[in-house]
């Protein structure tokens, strides 16, 4: 049910999607959808929560990687793999984040990804790659990386939004551009950190 609902919400947006459309796609009755989810909002929330939970699990699993640069590269690839394999789910999350009257608070998802990037940038700055015994970066160091983490997310989202809307979608070219954007933001952060 959630797969079909995600597709319909992705194609039409929340307001234009109807429970009739979703029920027809799932091949169940509309009352059955209401029995499971209570409302269209409940179904919509469930689609976003499922996708968000997946993203958060990916990010949490990556934090165990001690090599910050490797973690950053692996994390970028893992999140892009999600976007490429779950385009409808990503579209629903992205559109929810862009809407003026969001029905679901996706702040927790964005904060988790931003925190992952900021902490990883700060660890690269501290030179923790292969440096056993080095202390974790301070919260102040992580805080200085946040603008760069947010910029990383924003620029990659913009590229993905543009590219996934195209008929011809070259995933590997998109992956290279996003990896370059991540590196560019990291370089910007490291340059700012050196200048400070």
């Amino acid at each position: 049910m959630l797969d079909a609902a995600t597709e319909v919400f992705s194609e039409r947006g929340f307001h234009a999607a109807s429970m009739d459309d979703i029920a027809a796609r799932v091949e169940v009755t509309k009352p059955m959808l209401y029995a499971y989810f209570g409302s269209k909002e409940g179904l919509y929330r469930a689609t976003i929560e499922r996708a968000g939970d997946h993203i958060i699990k990916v990010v949490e699993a990556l934090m165990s990687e001690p090599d910050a640069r490797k973690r950053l590269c692996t994390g970028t690839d893992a999140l892009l793999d999600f976007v490429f394999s779950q385009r409808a789910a990503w579209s629903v999350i992205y559109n929810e984040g862009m809407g003026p009257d969001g029905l679901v608070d996706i702040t927790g998802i964005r904060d988790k990804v931003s925190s992952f990037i900021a902490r990883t940038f700060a660890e690269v700055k501290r030179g923790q790659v292969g440096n056993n015994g080095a202390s974790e970066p301070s919260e102040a160091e992580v805080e200085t990386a946040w603008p760069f983490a947010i910029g990383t997310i924003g620029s990659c989202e913009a590229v993905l939004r543009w590219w996934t809307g195209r008929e011809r979608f070259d995933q590997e070219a998109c992956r290279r551009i996003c990896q370059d954007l991540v590196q560019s933001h990291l370089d910007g952060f490291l340059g700012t950190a050196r200048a400070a």
Side-chain angles (χ1 to χ4, degrees):
M1 282 188 217
L2 290 176
D3 290 340
T6 300
E7 290 173 12
V8 173
F9 288 131
S10 172
E11 293 163 6
R12 299 186 184 136
F14 173 77
H15 295 293
S18 74
M19 291 296 266
D20 287 324
D21 294 335
I22 296 167
R25 180 100 35 117
V26 178
E27 298 179 356
V28 300
T29 64
K30 188 164 73 170
M32 181 70 80
L33 288 177
Y34 282 105
Y36 279 106
F37 301 101
S39 65
K40 183 167 106 172
E41 291 84 0
L43 178 56
Y44 186 66
R45 193 169 285 109
T47 63
I48 290 178
E49 288 172 356
R50 180 177 71 162
D53 288 347
H54 176 79
I55 290 170
I56 289 171
K57 284 178 186 168
V58 166
V59 168
E60 287 173 347
L62 289 166
M63 289 309 291
S64 65
E65 170 57 58
D67 182 324
R69 286 185 184 272
K70 183 177 179 184
R71 181 185 329 133
L72 194 59
C73 185
T74 303
T76 302
D77 281 339
L79 292 170
L80 289 171
D81 289 344
F82 169 77
V83 172
F84 297 155
S85 67
Q86 304 290 322
R87 284 172 75 173
W90 178 79
S91 175
V92 171
I93 289 175
Y94 179 81
N95 289 334
E96 182 63 22
M98 297 306 289
D101 58 347
L103 297 167
V104 178
D105 183 4
I106 64 162
T107 306
I109 300 166
R110 282 184 171 271
D111 284 352
K112 195 69 152 177
V113 175
S114 296
S115 179
F116 166 78
I117 295 168
R119 179 160 300 283
T120 303
F121 278 14
E123 287 181 18
V124 170
K125 179 187 159 221
R126 295 265 305 187
Q128 289 196 344
V129 177
N131 188 1
N132 292 336
S135 63
E136 292 288 319
S138 69
E139 288 308 311
E141 289 172 312
V142 174
E143 187 69 25
T144 63
W146 266 82
F148 295 91
I150 292 166
T152 300
I153 291 170
S155 60
C156 288
E157 280 180 349
V159 167
L160 289 165
R161 179 72 172 171
W162 177 80
W163 214 307
T164 57
R166 301 281 178 259
E167 194 161 307
R168 289 182 36 222
F169 180 70
D170 183 343
Q171 290 181 4
E172 289 312 307
C174 185
R175 185 180 303 276
R176 282 191 303 277
I177 290 170
C178 287
Q179 288 281 9
D180 288 347
L181 286 168
V182 171
Q183 186 61 50
S184 176
H185 285 283
L186 174 61
D187 291 345
F189 170 67
L190 294 174
T192 301
R194 280 191 293 273

